Amino acid sequence: MENIMSKKKIYSLIGLIIIIIAIIAVIWPHDNKNSVNSSSSLRRTTIILGSKNFSESKIVMQIWADALKKKGYNVKTKPNISSSVVYQAIKSGQIDLYPEYTGTIAMTYLNLHIVGKNANEIAKIARKGIAKKNLTTLNYAPSNDAQGIAIRTSVAKKYGIKTISDLQKNANKIRFVSQGEFDKREDGIPGLQKVYGKFNFKSHKVYDPSLKYEILAKGEGDITPASTTEGQLATGKYFALTDDKHFWPDYNLVPLVRNNTLKSNPGIKNMLNKIDQKLTTTELQKLNKKVDVDGQNYQKVAQNWVNANY
Protein backbone atom coordinates (compact mmCIF):
# COMPACT_ATOMS: atom_id res chain seq x y z
CA MET A 1 0.00 0.00 0.00
CA GLU A 2 2.86 2.33 0.89
CA ASN A 3 4.56 1.61 -2.45
CA ILE A 4 1.37 2.45 -4.31
CA MET A 5 1.13 5.78 -2.47
CA SER A 6 4.77 6.55 -3.24
CA LYS A 7 4.21 5.89 -6.94
CA LYS A 8 1.18 8.17 -6.94
CA LYS A 9 3.28 10.92 -5.39
CA ILE A 10 5.98 10.43 -8.02
CA TYR A 11 3.43 10.57 -10.87
CA SER A 12 1.88 13.68 -9.38
CA LEU A 13 5.30 15.31 -9.10
CA ILE A 14 6.14 14.46 -12.71
CA GLY A 15 2.79 15.87 -13.87
CA LEU A 16 3.44 19.06 -11.93
CA ILE A 17 6.90 19.42 -13.51
CA ILE A 18 5.43 18.96 -16.99
CA ILE A 19 2.83 21.66 -16.31
CA ILE A 20 5.51 24.06 -15.04
CA ILE A 21 7.69 23.45 -18.11
CA ALA A 22 4.71 24.11 -20.39
CA ILE A 23 3.95 27.38 -18.62
CA ILE A 24 7.59 28.52 -18.85
CA ALA A 25 7.65 27.71 -22.58
CA VAL A 26 4.64 29.96 -23.12
CA ILE A 27 5.79 32.96 -21.09
CA TRP A 28 9.55 32.75 -21.76
CA PRO A 29 10.84 35.70 -23.89
CA HIS A 30 11.08 34.88 -27.62
CA ASP A 31 14.52 34.62 -29.16
CA ASN A 32 15.58 36.48 -32.34
CA LYS A 33 14.23 33.75 -34.56
CA ASN A 34 10.77 34.02 -33.02
CA SER A 35 10.94 37.82 -33.31
CA VAL A 36 11.55 37.48 -37.03
CA ASN A 37 8.59 35.11 -37.29
CA SER A 38 6.44 37.60 -35.40
CA SER A 39 7.50 40.34 -37.81
CA SER A 40 6.75 38.09 -40.73
CA SER A 41 3.28 37.34 -39.44
CA LEU A 42 2.69 41.08 -39.12
CA ARG A 43 3.65 41.54 -42.75
CA ARG A 44 1.12 38.95 -43.81
CA THR A 45 -1.50 41.67 -43.28
CA THR A 46 -2.24 42.97 -46.78
CA ILE A 47 -1.62 46.68 -47.39
CA ILE A 48 -3.95 48.06 -50.07
CA LEU A 49 -2.43 50.89 -52.09
CA GLY A 50 -4.62 53.07 -54.29
CA SER A 51 -4.02 55.70 -56.93
CA LYS A 52 -5.90 58.40 -58.76
CA ASN A 53 -6.69 57.98 -62.44
CA PHE A 54 -3.66 59.67 -64.01
CA SER A 55 -0.15 58.48 -64.81
CA GLU A 56 1.83 60.15 -62.04
CA SER A 57 -0.39 58.80 -59.28
CA LYS A 58 -0.28 55.28 -60.75
CA ILE A 59 3.50 55.35 -61.20
CA VAL A 60 4.15 56.48 -57.62
CA MET A 61 1.65 53.96 -56.23
CA GLN A 62 3.45 51.17 -58.08
CA ILE A 63 6.87 52.38 -56.95
CA TRP A 64 5.72 52.18 -53.34
CA ALA A 65 4.07 48.81 -53.91
CA ASP A 66 7.16 47.27 -55.52
CA ALA A 67 9.43 48.60 -52.78
CA LEU A 68 7.16 47.21 -50.07
CA LYS A 69 7.04 43.83 -51.79
CA LYS A 70 10.83 43.83 -51.91
CA LYS A 71 10.85 44.09 -48.11
CA GLY A 72 8.41 41.22 -47.69
CA TYR A 73 5.13 43.07 -47.24
CA ASN A 74 1.94 41.70 -48.77
CA VAL A 75 0.56 44.37 -51.07
CA LYS A 76 -2.51 44.81 -53.24
CA THR A 77 -3.02 47.74 -55.63
CA LYS A 78 -6.19 49.55 -56.69
CA PRO A 79 -5.24 51.99 -59.46
CA ASN A 80 -7.45 54.44 -61.39
CA ILE A 81 -9.71 55.59 -58.57
CA SER A 82 -11.53 58.80 -59.50
CA SER A 83 -10.11 61.92 -57.87
CA SER A 84 -13.56 62.67 -56.49
CA VAL A 85 -13.77 59.25 -54.82
CA VAL A 86 -10.25 58.40 -53.60
CA TYR A 87 -10.42 60.47 -50.41
CA GLN A 88 -13.63 58.72 -49.36
CA ALA A 89 -12.01 55.38 -50.19
CA ILE A 90 -9.18 55.86 -47.71
CA LYS A 91 -11.45 57.28 -44.99
CA SER A 92 -13.75 54.25 -45.28
CA GLY A 93 -10.86 51.77 -45.25
CA GLN A 94 -11.23 50.54 -48.84
CA ILE A 95 -7.58 51.49 -49.31
CA ASP A 96 -4.79 51.99 -46.77
CA LEU A 97 -2.44 54.32 -48.55
CA TYR A 98 -2.20 56.41 -51.72
CA PRO A 99 -0.18 59.29 -53.27
CA GLU A 100 -1.75 62.67 -52.54
CA TYR A 101 -0.66 66.31 -52.58
CA THR A 102 -0.29 68.64 -49.61
CA GLY A 103 -2.18 71.44 -51.36
CA THR A 104 -5.06 69.16 -52.31
CA ILE A 105 -5.46 67.92 -48.73
CA ALA A 106 -5.40 71.42 -47.26
CA MET A 107 -7.46 73.25 -49.85
CA THR A 108 -9.81 70.65 -51.36
CA TYR A 109 -10.43 68.18 -48.52
CA LEU A 110 -10.12 70.48 -45.52
CA ASN A 111 -11.22 73.77 -47.14
CA LEU A 112 -8.35 75.61 -45.50
CA HIS A 113 -6.58 78.76 -46.68
CA ILE A 114 -3.09 78.17 -48.10
CA VAL A 115 -2.52 81.14 -50.43
CA GLY A 116 0.75 82.81 -49.51
CA LYS A 117 1.94 79.81 -47.48
CA ASN A 118 5.24 78.03 -48.21
CA ALA A 119 5.69 74.29 -48.72
CA ASN A 120 6.43 73.53 -45.05
CA GLU A 121 3.48 75.56 -43.84
CA ILE A 122 1.09 73.87 -46.26
CA ALA A 123 2.38 70.42 -45.26
CA LYS A 124 1.83 71.21 -41.55
CA ILE A 125 -1.67 72.53 -42.22
CA ALA A 126 -2.50 69.33 -44.14
CA ARG A 127 -1.07 66.98 -41.50
CA LYS A 128 -2.77 68.73 -38.59
CA GLY A 129 -6.15 68.84 -40.31
CA ILE A 130 -6.09 65.29 -41.62
CA ALA A 131 -5.25 63.90 -38.16
CA LYS A 132 -8.87 64.48 -37.16
CA LYS A 133 -9.88 61.97 -39.85
CA ASN A 134 -7.68 59.17 -38.40
CA LEU A 135 -5.25 59.72 -41.27
CA THR A 136 -1.70 60.99 -41.42
CA THR A 137 0.80 62.25 -43.97
CA LEU A 138 4.43 61.15 -44.07
CA ASN A 139 7.27 63.40 -45.27
CA TYR A 140 6.41 65.22 -48.47
CA ALA A 141 8.55 64.76 -51.56
CA PRO A 142 10.57 67.61 -53.15
CA SER A 143 8.37 67.31 -56.26
CA ASN A 144 5.84 70.10 -56.68
CA ASP A 145 2.91 69.24 -58.94
CA ALA A 146 1.56 72.77 -58.94
CA GLN A 147 -0.41 74.77 -61.46
CA GLY A 148 1.83 76.41 -64.02
CA ILE A 149 2.18 77.64 -67.58
CA ALA A 150 4.14 75.68 -70.17
CA ILE A 151 5.84 77.49 -73.04
CA ARG A 152 7.47 76.28 -76.23
CA THR A 153 11.22 76.40 -75.65
CA SER A 154 11.87 77.95 -79.05
CA VAL A 155 9.43 80.79 -78.34
CA ALA A 156 10.90 81.36 -74.87
CA LYS A 157 14.39 81.70 -76.34
CA LYS A 158 13.19 84.01 -79.10
CA TYR A 159 11.67 86.54 -76.69
CA GLY A 160 13.78 85.89 -73.58
CA ILE A 161 10.88 84.56 -71.52
CA LYS A 162 11.76 82.56 -68.40
CA THR A 163 9.28 83.77 -65.80
CA ILE A 164 5.59 84.72 -65.71
CA SER A 165 6.69 88.34 -65.29
CA ASP A 166 8.60 88.00 -68.58
CA LEU A 167 5.48 86.53 -70.15
CA GLN A 168 3.32 89.43 -68.98
CA LYS A 169 5.73 91.93 -70.56
CA ASN A 170 5.78 90.02 -73.87
CA ALA A 171 2.15 88.87 -73.93
CA ASN A 172 1.34 90.77 -77.14
CA LYS A 173 3.67 88.40 -79.02
CA ILE A 174 2.26 85.19 -77.51
CA ARG A 175 -0.64 82.94 -78.57
CA PHE A 176 -2.39 81.44 -75.55
CA VAL A 177 -3.76 77.89 -75.88
CA SER A 178 -6.27 78.03 -73.05
CA GLN A 179 -8.78 75.73 -71.39
CA GLY A 180 -12.15 77.30 -70.66
CA GLU A 181 -12.18 77.08 -66.88
CA PHE A 182 -8.66 78.51 -66.58
CA ASP A 183 -9.97 81.81 -67.93
CA LYS A 184 -12.52 82.06 -65.10
CA ARG A 185 -10.93 80.41 -62.05
CA GLU A 186 -9.45 82.57 -59.32
CA ASP A 187 -6.25 80.50 -59.58
CA GLY A 188 -6.27 81.06 -63.35
CA ILE A 189 -6.16 84.22 -65.44
CA PRO A 190 -8.20 86.42 -63.03
CA GLY A 191 -5.85 85.69 -60.13
CA LEU A 192 -2.72 85.92 -62.26
CA GLN A 193 -3.70 89.37 -63.50
CA LYS A 194 -4.17 90.63 -59.94
CA VAL A 195 -0.59 89.64 -59.15
CA TYR A 196 1.24 90.14 -62.45
CA GLY A 197 -0.87 92.68 -64.31
CA LYS A 198 -2.99 92.33 -67.42
CA PHE A 199 -1.95 89.83 -70.12
CA ASN A 200 -2.66 91.27 -73.58
CA PHE A 201 -2.09 88.09 -75.58
CA LYS A 202 -1.69 88.15 -79.33
CA SER A 203 -4.44 85.52 -79.42
CA HIS A 204 -6.40 83.70 -76.74
CA LYS A 205 -8.27 80.57 -77.84
CA VAL A 206 -9.91 77.76 -75.88
CA TYR A 207 -9.16 74.14 -76.77
CA ASP A 208 -9.87 70.72 -75.29
CA PRO A 209 -7.23 70.15 -72.55
CA SER A 210 -6.19 66.83 -74.10
CA LEU A 211 -5.10 68.65 -77.27
CA LYS A 212 -2.94 71.34 -75.73
CA TYR A 213 0.49 69.86 -76.51
CA GLU A 214 -0.68 68.78 -79.95
CA ILE A 215 -1.61 72.42 -80.68
CA LEU A 216 1.76 73.64 -79.41
CA ALA A 217 3.61 70.97 -81.41
CA LYS A 218 1.88 72.12 -84.60
CA GLY A 219 3.04 75.66 -83.95
CA GLU A 220 -0.52 76.92 -83.62
CA GLY A 221 0.05 78.25 -80.10
CA ASP A 222 2.85 79.19 -77.75
CA ILE A 223 1.78 78.66 -74.13
CA THR A 224 -0.77 76.57 -72.24
CA PRO A 225 -1.83 75.90 -68.63
CA ALA A 226 0.06 72.89 -67.28
CA SER A 227 0.94 70.96 -64.17
CA THR A 228 4.61 71.39 -63.34
CA THR A 229 5.42 67.65 -63.39
CA GLU A 230 3.88 66.82 -66.79
CA GLY A 231 5.96 64.45 -68.89
CA GLN A 232 6.01 66.74 -71.92
CA LEU A 233 8.12 69.16 -69.89
CA ALA A 234 10.93 66.58 -69.94
CA THR A 235 11.13 66.47 -73.74
CA GLY A 236 13.09 69.71 -74.08
CA LYS A 237 10.40 71.13 -76.37
CA TYR A 238 8.60 72.87 -73.51
CA PHE A 239 9.24 74.03 -69.96
CA ALA A 240 7.24 75.53 -67.11
CA LEU A 241 7.68 79.25 -66.56
CA THR A 242 8.95 80.25 -63.13
CA ASP A 243 6.19 81.65 -60.93
CA ASP A 244 8.48 84.45 -59.74
CA LYS A 245 5.83 86.16 -57.60
CA HIS A 246 4.74 82.86 -56.01
CA PHE A 247 1.09 83.13 -57.01
CA TRP A 248 0.41 79.39 -57.00
CA PRO A 249 0.76 77.41 -53.74
CA ASP A 250 2.90 74.28 -53.56
CA TYR A 251 1.33 70.88 -54.18
CA ASN A 252 4.01 68.52 -52.93
CA LEU A 253 3.57 64.78 -53.38
CA VAL A 254 2.92 63.07 -50.04
CA PRO A 255 1.88 59.60 -48.81
CA LEU A 256 -1.57 59.73 -47.22
CA VAL A 257 -2.04 56.72 -44.94
CA ARG A 258 -4.55 55.40 -42.42
CA ASN A 259 -3.37 55.59 -38.79
CA ASN A 260 -4.28 51.93 -38.18
CA THR A 261 -2.22 50.83 -41.18
CA LEU A 262 0.82 52.74 -39.97
CA LYS A 263 0.39 51.36 -36.44
CA SER A 264 0.27 47.78 -37.74
CA ASN A 265 3.15 48.35 -40.19
CA PRO A 266 5.46 50.97 -38.60
CA GLY A 267 8.34 50.00 -40.86
CA ILE A 268 6.70 51.47 -43.95
CA LYS A 269 7.18 55.03 -42.68
CA ASN A 270 10.97 55.13 -43.10
CA MET A 271 10.74 53.18 -46.35
CA LEU A 272 8.36 55.61 -48.03
CA ASN A 273 10.15 58.67 -46.66
CA LYS A 274 13.42 57.36 -48.09
CA ILE A 275 11.86 56.78 -51.51
CA ASP A 276 10.10 60.14 -51.62
CA GLN A 277 13.36 62.02 -51.04
CA LYS A 278 14.32 61.03 -54.60
CA LEU A 279 11.03 62.06 -56.20
CA THR A 280 11.90 65.57 -57.35
CA THR A 281 9.89 67.59 -59.85
CA THR A 282 12.41 66.73 -62.56
CA GLU A 283 12.31 63.03 -61.65
CA LEU A 284 8.51 62.90 -61.89
CA GLN A 285 8.63 64.71 -65.23
CA LYS A 286 10.95 61.98 -66.53
CA LEU A 287 8.76 59.19 -65.18
CA ASN A 288 5.60 60.77 -66.58
CA LYS A 289 7.32 61.21 -69.95
CA LYS A 290 8.03 57.47 -70.17
CA VAL A 291 4.30 56.76 -69.84
CA ASP A 292 2.53 59.75 -71.40
CA VAL A 293 4.97 60.53 -74.21
CA ASP A 294 6.90 57.31 -74.85
CA GLY A 295 3.91 55.03 -74.28
CA GLN A 296 5.51 52.70 -71.73
CA ASN A 297 3.50 50.70 -69.17
CA TYR A 298 3.40 52.45 -65.79
CA GLN A 299 4.05 49.19 -63.94
CA LYS A 300 7.22 48.54 -65.91
CA VAL A 301 8.37 52.13 -65.47
CA ALA A 302 7.89 51.83 -61.70
CA GLN A 303 9.62 48.46 -61.53
CA ASN A 304 12.67 49.79 -63.40
CA TRP A 305 12.86 52.81 -61.10
CA VAL A 306 12.73 50.69 -57.94
CA ASN A 307 15.42 48.33 -59.29
CA ALA A 308 17.67 51.30 -60.05
CA ASN A 309 16.99 53.41 -56.95
CA TYR A 310 15.91 51.21 -54.06
Side-chain angles (χ1 to χ4, degrees):
M1 184 72 176
E2 186 176 344
N3 288 338
I4 294 174
M5 292 298 293
S6 298
K7 288 181 180 180
K8 285 184 178 181
K9 288 181 180 180
I10 292 171
Y11 292 151
S12 296
L13 181 61
I14 292 172
L16 180 60
I17 292 171
I18 291 172
I19 291 172
I20 292 171
I21 292 172
I23 292 172
I24 292 173
V26 170
I27 66 173
W28 195 261
H30 289 22
D31 59 18
N32 290 337
K33 182 178 179 181
N34 286 334
S35 296
V36 171
N37 289 338
S38 176
S39 175
S40 298
S41 66
L42 184 63
R43 291 181 179 178
R44 281 200 287 272
T45 303
T46 300
I47 302 173
I48 303 175
L49 284 82
S51 82
K52 297 184 180 181
N53 54 355
F54 57 90
S55 297
E56 180 171 299
S57 188
K58 290 187 286 185
I59 294 168
V60 174
M61 173 203 71
Q62 196 64 49
I63 285 174
W64 293 348
D66 288 350
L68 288 170
K69 288 176 185 176
K70 234 178 173 181
K71 288 294 184 179
Y73 289 92
N74 286 337
V75 172
K76 181 179 178 181
T77 58
K78 287 187 177 181
N80 291 311
I81 303 173
S82 169
S83 296
S84 62
V85 175
V86 68
Y87 181 53
Q88 295 302 322
I90 194 168
K91 286 199 298 181
S92 65
Q94 296 176 58
I95 58 175
D96 297 305
L97 164 70
Y98 80 97
E100 193 44 274
Y101 302 90
T102 55
T104 301
I105 294 171
M107 184 175 283
T108 305
Y109 301 154
L110 303 174
N111 296 313
L112 298 175
H113 181 78
I114 61 172
V115 175
K117 306 290 186 183
N118 62 35
N120 280 333
E121 290 169 335
I122 294 171
K124 287 179 182 178
I125 289 170
R127 179 173 293 177
K128 183 178 179 180
I130 213 73
K132 300 173 184 177
K133 313 291 184 181
N134 294 316
L135 302 171
T136 190
T137 55
L138 304 185
N139 293 350
Y140 65 86
S143 58
N144 179 22
D145 188 3
Q147 179 64 59
I149 292 179
I151 187 170
R152 292 167 59 203
T153 303
S154 59
V155 172
K157 288 181 178 179
K158 182 177 180 179
Y159 299 115
I161 300 174
K162 296 180 180 179
T163 67
I164 296 178
S165 290
D166 295 335
L167 174 65
Q168 191 272 336
K169 294 172 185 175
N170 293 276
N172 63 335
K173 305 163 190 168
I174 302 299
R175 297 165 297 168
F176 185 29
V177 176
S178 185
Q179 301 149 25
E181 63 176 36
F182 191 80
D183 299 343
K184 303 173 184 177
R185 290 193 335 233
E186 189 55 34
D187 64 342
I189 292 297
L192 277 173
Q193 292 191 147
K194 289 179 182 178
V195 175
Y196 286 96
K198 190 169 179 60
F199 291 81
N200 296 308
F201 292 116
K202 182 178 180 179
S203 67
H204 186 149
K205 297 180 180 179
V206 175
Y207 295 88
D208 185 298
S210 64
L211 300 175
K212 63 184 184 182
Y213 284 110
E214 183 179 334
I215 300 299
L216 295 189
K218 290 180 179 177
E220 297 176 2
D222 303 311
I223 65 168
T224 189
S227 295
T228 52
T229 58
E230 288 179 347
Q232 289 82 356
L233 301 176
T235 63
K237 298 177 182 178
Y238 321 98
F239 68 89
L241 294 172
T242 299
D243 179 12
D244 52 305
K245 293 188 178 181
H246 308 289
F247 169 63
W248 285 302
D250 292 312
Y251 277 66
N252 293 92
L253 177 74
V254 67
L256 181 58
V257 58
R258 290 175 59 80
N259 288 343
N260 288 341
T261 302
L262 197 58
K263 185 178 180 179
S264 299
N265 304 276
I268 70 175
K269 180 178 179 178
N270 288 337
M271 285 184 60
L272 297 183
N273 285 341
K274 184 177 180 181
I275 290 169
D276 284 358
Q277 287 177 2
K278 298 185 178 183
L279 295 179
T280 63
T281 299
T282 300
E283 191 72 3
L284 283 187
Q285 287 176 355
K286 292 177 181 177
L287 290 169
N288 287 329
K289 175 182 176 291
K290 292 178 186 296
V291 176
D292 294 333
V293 179
D294 302 335
Q296 296 182 34
N297 179 278
Y298 79 87
Q299 293 167 314
K300 186 64 176 176
V301 169
Q303 183 184 60
N304 290 341
W305 190 92
V306 170
N307 289 339
N309 292 276
Y310 188 75

